[in-house]
Amino acid sequence: LDGPGQAGVAEYTAPRDIKIQLPKGTVFPTIHMIELIRHSMEGNGQFGKVLFDGSTTDDPFVVSAVIGPAPESKLPAEVLKTLGQHRRWEARLAYFPVAKKSETPDFELTVVYRDDGIVEAIRQDYEDHAVESRLRQLDLLPHPVCTSPQ
């Protein structure tokens, strides 16, 4: 991107050279999650952004989110003990390709997430099937010991 909120270009070199134009206001996944959490914490029930996640050589998507309260947590007790209690929400995300200008999304996700950015569950719905993922195990990495250069 040419800067925050600016347009840009995504360039692939393999399996073939492809350039994808990213419209003004495009965000990447980390910023999208931060914005989703911010909107959730502010009580905003809807949120939309152009998202490019690099998972496909298709163009970016306009992602429309409807945010609501999360259902009861299904985290295993040992994971919940490690992570502790946090504010949680459930959002329904609809992915509309920028170039197609379609009235219906290519796919939809339901995601349960926390205010610390941890995603508890994702369900991706397609026309004829769905894929669901749930957090079941958590292995925390040790904090690195940083020393100043001598």
Side-chain angles (χ1 to χ4, degrees), residues 35-56:
E35 288 291 310
L36 185 61
I37 292 168
R38 184 178 62 79
H39 280 266
S40 301
M41 293 179 85
E42 292 173 355
N44 298 330
Q46 295 182 339
F47 167 65
K49 275 287 189 191
V50 176
L51 172 66
F52 182 77
D53 68 5
S55 64
T56 174

Side-chain angles (χ1 to χ4, degrees), residues 37-111:
I37 292 168
R38 184 178 62 79
H39 280 266
S40 301
M41 293 179 85
E42 292 173 355
N44 298 330
Q46 295 182 339
F47 167 65
K49 275 287 189 191
V50 176
L51 172 66
F52 182 77
D53 68 5
S55 64
T56 174
T57 56
D58 293 336
D59 57 292
F61 291 91
V62 175
V63 180
S64 177
V66 177
I67 303 164
E72 184 177 332
S73 181
K74 295 182 180 179
L75 287 177
E78 61 274 7
V79 172
L80 189 54
K81 181 180 176 185
T82 300
L83 294 177
Q85 295 288 343
H86 282 261
R87 291 178 65 186
R88 304 167 57 252
W89 301 272
E90 180 177 73
R92 183 72 172 172
L93 307 174
Y95 286 70
F96 298 87
V98 168
K100 284 187 186 176
K101 306 287 185 205
S102 174
E103 292 181 9
T104 57
D106 269 14
F107 63 93
E108 296 180 67
L109 295 176
T110 301
V111 60

Side-chain angles (χ1 to χ4, degrees), residues 91-142:
R92 183 72 172 172
L93 307 174
Y95 286 70
F96 298 87
V98 168
K100 284 187 186 176
K101 306 287 185 205
S102 174
E103 292 181 9
T104 57
D106 269 14
F107 63 93
E108 296 180 67
L109 295 176
T110 301
V111 60
V112 177
Y113 55 98
R114 301 157 39 110
D115 63 4
D116 59 2
I118 293 176
V119 173
E120 292 185 13
I122 298 175
R123 179 183 168 98
Q124 190 164 355
D125 292 306
Y126 298 93
E127 285 184 25
D128 59 349
H129 69 284
V131 177
E132 188 168 349
S133 302
R134 294 191 174 277
L135 177 59
R136 294 283 180 232
Q137 180 179 337
L138 182 69
D139 296 321
L140 297 178
L141 298 174

Side-chain angles (χ1 to χ4, degrees), residues 20-41:
I20 300 170
Q21 296 300 317
L22 304 176
K24 184 177 180 178
T26 299
V27 297
F28 295 113
T30 300
I31 295 300
H32 189 261
M33 179 57 97
I34 289 168
E35 288 291 310
L36 185 61
I37 292 168
R38 184 178 62 79
H39 280 266
S40 301
M41 293 179 85

